[in-house]
């Protein structure tokens, strides 16, 4: 995929999926294959939490996201997040952490005419929960609370349904073959 990925014209990939599905892993590998400017909603919200000297905890970040969207709307939130990065003309972009259906249209409008594709990353639920326990030290009860937050419900329903490609993140090689096949079709 590396050589082919570099040959595509500039494009934007929006990454969505449940917490712990492997979005960050996919981003790190894609960045090695092409120079992407990575824009993250989570990074932006984490910056707000740090400025306010709040703990960097999932519940706090979800609350800040609600507050920002309530204040600015989805389009305003997307504009702020994209403006916080220096996106050069002609540079491909990865937008990490799409959690809402309305965000998809807002990103598409903000980055037009650049082609924009939403990639939904799924993972076996047992594997995902085990990963979260090991990575974040989150117990089952706390994880159920996070997963029941409206943003997580929406990402696993409406955002998944509107995605251009759904990949099961069970094997890195298989996942990247799927992404490459998808991009080849889009740019052929």
């Amino acid at each position: 995929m590396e050589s082919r990925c570099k040959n595509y014209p500039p494009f934007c990939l929006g990454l969505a999926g449940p917490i712990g599905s492997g979005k960050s892993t996919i981003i790190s590998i894609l960045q090695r294959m092409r120079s992407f400017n990575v824009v993250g909603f989570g990074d932006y919200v984490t910056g707000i939490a740090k400025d306010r000297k709040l703990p960097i905890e999932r519940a706090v970040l979800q609350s800040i996201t609600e507050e920002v969207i309530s204040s600015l709307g989805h389009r305003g939130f997307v504009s702020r997040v994209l403006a916080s990065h220096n996106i050069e003309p002609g540079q491909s972009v990865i937008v990490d952490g799409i959690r809402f259906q309305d965000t998809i249209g807002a990103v598409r409008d903000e980055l037009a005419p650049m082609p924009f594709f939403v990639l939904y990353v799924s993972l076996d639920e047992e594997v995902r929960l085990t990963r979260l326990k090991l990575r974040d030290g989150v117990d089952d009860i706390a994880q159920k609370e996070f997963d029941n937050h409206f943003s997580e419900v929406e990402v696993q329903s409406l955002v998944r349904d509107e995605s251009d490609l759904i990949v099961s993140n069970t094997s890195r090689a298989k996942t990247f073959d799927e992404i490459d096949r998808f991009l080849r079709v889009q740019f052929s």
Side-chain angles (χ1 to χ4, degrees), residues 118-141:
V118 179
L119 172 66
Y120 184 90
V121 183
S122 68
L123 186 64
D124 175 80
E125 190 64 7
E126 270 188 54
V127 174
R128 184 179 79 87
L129 293 174
T130 300
R131 178 182 286 178
L132 289 169
K133 282 180 190 175
L134 294 172
R135 184 185 80 184
D136 299 342
V138 176
D139 64 33
D140 291 341
I141 294 170

Side-chain angles (χ1 to χ4, degrees), residues 25-117:
T25 301
I26 289 174
I27 290 170
S28 68
I29 293 170
L30 284 171
Q31 280 186 290
R32 285 186 238 137
M33 297 177 175
R34 183 180 181 123
S35 176
F36 283 97
N37 189 335
V38 179
V39 177
F41 287 99
D43 295 338
Y44 181 81
V45 172
T46 298
I48 293 172
K50 286 179 180 176
D51 289 347
R52 295 178 181 176
K53 298 182 180 10
L54 296 172
I56 309 304
E57 298 170 353
R58 195 162 319 280
V60 170
L61 300 178
Q62 287 175 331
S63 177
I64 292 171
T65 300
E66 287 178 48
E67 173 193 324
V68 172
I69 290 172
S70 176
S71 170
L72 301 174
H74 287 278
R75 292 197 184 282
F77 184 34
V78 167
S79 292
R80 290 262 175 102
V81 171
L82 293 175
S84 71
H85 289 73
N86 186 23
I87 300 173
E88 299 290 329
Q91 184 178 26
S92 290
V93 179
I94 294 174
V95 177
D96 182 28
I98 293 177
R99 319 254 17 105
F100 303 99
Q101 185 180 32
D102 289 344
T103 302
I104 294 171
V107 171
R108 188 169 272 124
D109 291 348
E110 285 284 326
L111 294 176
M114 181 184 289
F116 174 60
F117 311 109

